[in-house]
């Protein structure tokens, strides 16, 4: 699952929007929208840390679990 889908899933669980995420995390919408649209598939660690903190989840929620 892509990072934007994982974030969407977490937002849907708590019935919040990307706009809320921007306000809660302090990440500008201009940074979040490319992630949301899928244009940016590898956000920085700092950005993901802020997103995880805002959503009150572990960073592990966003790791890709590849199986060999």
């Amino acid at each position: 699952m892509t990072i934007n889908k994982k974030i969407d899933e977490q937002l849907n669980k708590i019935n919040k929007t990307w706009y809320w995420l921007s306000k809660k995390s302090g990440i500008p919408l201009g940074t979040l929208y490319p992630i949301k649209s899928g244009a940016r598939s590898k956000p920085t660690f700092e950005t993901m840390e802020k997103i995880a903190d805002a959503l009150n989840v572990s960073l592990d929620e966003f790791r890709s679990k590849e199986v060999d």
Side-chain angles (χ1 to χ4, degrees), residues 11-67:
L11 286 169
N12 287 334
K13 282 183 185 179
I14 59 172
N15 198 29
K16 299 293 183 186
T17 64
W18 284 81
Y19 178 77
W20 173 88
L21 180 60
S22 171
K23 294 300 180 189
K24 180 76 173 175
S25 66
I27 301 169
L29 282 173
T31 300
L32 287 179
Y33 279 144
I35 298 168
K36 180 182 183 197
S37 71
R40 185 169 181 200
S41 60
K42 295 189 179 193
T44 66
F45 179 81
E46 181 182 355
T47 297
M48 289 309 304
E49 188 175 41
K50 288 179 181 179
I51 290 171
D53 287 346
L55 294 170
N56 199 31
V57 297
S58 166
L59 276 171
D60 287 339
E61 294 291 324
F62 302 110
R63 294 184 59 174
S64 61
K65 296 176 176 101
E66 298 177 13
V67 178

Side-chain angles (χ1 to χ4, degrees), residues 1-8 35-36 38 41 62 64:
M1 185 182 300
T2 59
I3 195 71
N4 59 335
K5 300 289 184 203
K6 289 179 182 182
I7 295 169
D8 268 335
I35 298 168
K36 180 182 183 197
S41 60
F62 302 110
S64 61

